[in-house]
Amino acid sequence: MTEYERRDVLKGTGLAIAAGTAPAWGVVTANETAAEEGNDGTTVSSDSNGWVSTRGNAGNTGYVSRATGPEPPVTTAWEYDHGGPFAVVDGTIYLTADGQVHAVDATDGSLEWKNGVTREEHAEPMAAAGSPAVAYDTVYVSGERGNPDLTALDAVTGEIRWQLGDLGYETNLAPIVADERVFLVADRVLYCLDAHTGEKQWSFEPEPATFDDDREHDDPLQRNPVAVADGTVFVLSNNRLFARDVETGDERWTDTIRENWAASTFSGPAVAADGFVAVVKADTVTIFETDTGTERATVPGHSVDALTDDRIYTVRKDDTRDDDEHRVITGYDRKTGDGIWLRSVRALSLGTVAVDDKSVYVGFEETATETGVVAFNHANGDQRWKINIDARPHQVAVIDETVYASGDALHAIRSAAEDENEDAPEDEAETPAENETNTPDDEGVNSSENETTTVQDGTDNSSENETPAAQEGERNSSGDETTATENESETAPESGATDSDDGTDGTPGFTTGVGVAGGALSLEWLRRRAVADEGDGERKE
């Protein structure tokens, strides 16, 4: 029985129990929800199992512990005709598209429900927008300008639980949920709301800042998603990184760009987990300790694309090449900034990054018609598989042996059936690096094809790293760019990438009974599900 068949059985049994004995669905209270520690150091609902927001979790890390992706060879299991930002929780994908939230069955891509964010005083539907977040059996989504700032939908039925429409005209369109609170920025103010009722708990609006000219300047909060980890919420303005207490909103620490403040800025979103927070500060990725704000390391790069238990990943333009057709993805040690591996890939753009304990997944755009997802071995950067899909993916996520990629449509990528393995294309097999090793100059990026390259180390306890030239086509916070790859591999073995070339043996790195009636109802549900119209929902096989 596959994971998805098992979930159908569990889902059917759950529906039967609900039909016979369960109480009416209501708003979950704090006392009704068990909690556990997430890999980003926050307390999360134990029933929210999956990729709970567009960047995976409340820390925006692009990595969820115990998540697993497909083994090669891979294939597209199904395609849903709508695309947009999404979350995946407990076998359902929650997708914001065409002004509505779509709940899509992860097993086969069929539609479970869809709903907008219409308020009673409005006769016409109102548009949902931005990235949904899922926790406590609730889907949280923002609205477009002039619409409700935040709507909470029942994750099972899609019905509206509560709404807030008085926060402001502009929100950051990406609420973050942690510690039974919802955090979002609206009209330059950070709000902390009760996740179960929407009640405002505290707010934060920064005072004007004083820089090296000894004058006060407005420095409002950016609209990027906040990050939450270690009891702290991290939010950026142009020139300051604020660390605020999750419960009270009080200041824990603040880091400020004072020199060349008019040209040098913070850019986000912030990414935080397990004692570290990483941001782009003055065009360099900078890593701080979450509790003190002490700067630990810097690494080259204009974006923080993923943060795992022991690694930080960045994507940037390959500055060693004269063309604009190559991008570099690099894995660094998150404590020291030392380079672990680097890979140059032929791509007009690389999209968002998702990571599990074995692979690094990136959406790509190689040409206008060559788009898809590529998977690299997390330990050494070898290509594990590559697949083309019809739409350029703006977001990728990995959970339950599946990689989901969303662009103009939503695709589910899974391992091919055993009888398909013999016909799998060669480029889906893992591609080890060649034995030739080169020591790089300057930035340590030698991008000649089919060569292994040592990555330049980052600088520990320093902010004076050389900054690469500004990227053309750099991925923005909404993930508007994607990837492509060739068999070009560059690795840094001295930093501990000891996995064998097949990528299979390495150490993870980036790093009361319901009675007869209930059973009968379960079996009847499964029988009906088995003969259901395959065209149900809006999907393509």
Side-chain angles (χ1 to χ4, degrees):
M1 178 181 290
T2 68
E3 173 68 14
Y4 304 97
E5 291 169 340
R6 184 185 70 83
R7 287 191 171 191
D8 276 347
V9 172
L10 293 176
K11 187 181 292 185
T13 304
L15 288 173
I17 294 171
T21 62
W25 200 280
V27 176
V28 180
T29 66
N31 293 330
E32 293 172 333
T33 305
E36 63 182 9
E37 286 296 314
N39 69 289
D40 59 354
T42 60
T43 302
V44 296
S45 168
S46 62
D47 59 2
S48 294
N49 177 31
W51 196 272
V52 300
S53 64
T54 187
R55 296 290 295 270
N57 51 38
N60 301 319
T61 65
Y63 167 73
V64 175
S65 63
R66 300 181 298 277
T68 55
E71 290 295 316
V74 297
T75 187
T76 299
W78 53 259
E79 177 183 343
Y80 184 69
D81 278 337
H82 302 271
F86 66 92
V88 188
V89 173
D90 294 333
T92 299
I93 304 155
Y94 300 93
L95 169 77
T96 304
D98 305 323
Q100 294 183 307
V101 178
H102 300 234
V104 180
D105 191 312
T107 305
D108 57 11
S110 59
L111 181 67
E112 295 181 355
W113 56 260
K114 63 180 177 180
N115 199 0
V117 292
T118 302
R119 297 169 66 185
E120 293 181 358
E121 58 267 33
H122 292 267
E124 298 296 326
M126 300 166 67
S131 304
V134 184
Y136 315 115
D137 303 307
T138 304
V139 182
Y140 304 87
V141 64
S142 295
E144 291 183 337
R145 293 181 177 182
N147 287 345
D149 297 299
L150 187 66
T151 298
L153 301 173
D154 187 299
V156 175
T157 66
E159 296 178 355
I160 294 175
R161 287 187 166 180
W162 54 260
Q163 289 181 310
L164 286 180
D166 60 348
L167 295 180
Y169 185 66
E170 290 186 334
T171 70
N172 64 6
L173 301 183
I176 294 296
V177 186
D179 296 321
E180 302 194 36
R181 297 169 175 86
V182 184
F183 302 90
L184 80 165
V185 176
D187 283 357
R188 304 180 174 186
V189 179
L190 170 62
Y191 289 95
C192 172
L193 313 170
D194 185 287
H196 307 292
T197 66
E199 180 183 357
K200 297 177 186 177
Q201 296 189 343
W202 55 262
S203 61
F204 166 65
E205 183 175 11
E207 298 290 334
T210 301
F211 302 115
D212 55 2
D213 61 356
D214 295 326
R215 298 173 56 188
E216 287 191 345
H217 300 270
D218 287 335
D219 188 31
L221 297 180
Q222 298 178 11
R223 294 178 64 198
N224 285 315
V226 304
V228 182
D230 302 328
T232 307
V233 54
F234 301 93
V235 61
L236 299 174
S237 67
N238 283 341
N239 297 99
R240 289 175 289 182
L241 167 60
F242 300 96
R244 316 296 294 192
D245 184 273
V246 162
E247 294 184 359
T248 66
D250 294 340
E251 180 182 15
R252 289 197 164 181
W253 54 266
T254 301
D255 187 81
T256 304
I257 298 176
R258 298 189 183 279
E259 297 180 0
N260 196 25
W261 59 271
S264 299
T265 64
F266 284 100
S267 58
V271 177
D274 298 331
F276 297 92
V277 55
V279 296
V280 178
K281 177 183 179 181
D283 293 329
T284 300
V285 175
T286 306
I287 306 168
F288 301 87
E289 294 181 357
T290 56
D291 56 349
T292 65
T294 301
E295 187 175 308
R296 288 293 300 268
T298 61
V299 301
H302 298 281
S303 62
V304 184
D305 293 281
L307 182 69
T308 72
D309 291 339
D310 58 359
R311 301 224 181 136
I312 185 169
Y313 288 88
T314 68
V315 172
R316 59 188 174 92
K317 183 179 179 293
D318 189 342
D319 296 319
T320 67
R321 294 181 181 262
D322 294 332
D323 60 54
D324 192 34
E325 298 179 355
H326 286 78
R327 296 296 181 269
V328 170
I329 180 169
T330 311
Y332 299 93
D333 186 292
R334 76 173 190 177
K335 293 183 180 180
T336 66
D338 294 341
I340 305 298
W341 59 261
L342 172 150
R343 181 158 182 132
S344 178
V345 297
R346 184 179 300 279
L348 298 175
S349 62
L350 296 180
T352 59
V353 176
V355 184
D356 62 20
D357 289 334
K358 195 169 187 177
S359 302
V360 181
Y361 308 93
V362 193
F364 70 82
E365 180 185 25
E366 189 168 345
T367 67
T369 58
E370 288 281 328
T371 59
V373 178
V374 60
F376 300 107
N377 187 308
H378 79 89
N380 57 23
D382 290 346
Q383 179 178 309
R384 303 197 65 232
W385 53 260
K386 173 187 175 183
I387 188 171
N388 291 336
I389 60 177
D390 294 336
R392 186 180 77 163
H394 301 308
Q395 179 191 347
V396 293
V398 56
I399 199 75
D400 296 333
E401 301 176 358
T402 306
V403 169
Y404 298 95
S406 180
D408 295 333
L410 176 67
H411 299 256
I413 301 167
R414 294 182 180 138
S415 296
E418 290 184 5
D419 57 358
E420 297 176 6
N421 288 353
E422 294 181 1
D423 300 325
E426 292 183 1
D427 66 353
E428 290 191 353
E430 182 152 2
T431 307
E434 297 290 336
N435 292 328
E436 182 177 356
T437 302
N438 292 319
T439 301
D441 299 324
D442 297 331
E443 289 190 49
V445 182
N446 186 319
S447 300
S448 57
E449 297 188 7
N450 298 321
E451 293 179 351
T452 302
T453 301
T454 301
V455 189
Q456 176 197 16
D457 290 349
T459 302
D460 196 7
N461 297 316
S462 171
S463 59
E464 298 178 356
N465 287 52
E466 293 182 13
T467 302
Q471 299 183 53
E472 298 177 21
E474 175 91 353
R475 183 184 65 81
N476 60 28
S477 61
S478 63
D480 284 339
E481 301 189 42
T482 23
T483 54
T485 187
E486 273 191 355
N487 294 337
E488 308 169 280
S489 181
E490 296 132 18
T491 61
E494 82 273 7
S495 296
T498 58
D499 282 30
S500 60
D501 284 344
D502 63 6
T504 58
D505 297 323
T507 301
F510 216 22
T511 223
T512 68
V514 297
V516 175
L521 284 170
S522 297
L523 292 173
E524 175 63 11
W525 182 88
L526 290 173
R527 185 190 68 77
R528 292 182 181 181
R529 179 63 179 267
V531 300
D533 183 1
E534 293 183 357
D536 185 30
E538 303 174 50
R539 62 184 176 93
K540 295 179 182 177
E541 290 293 346

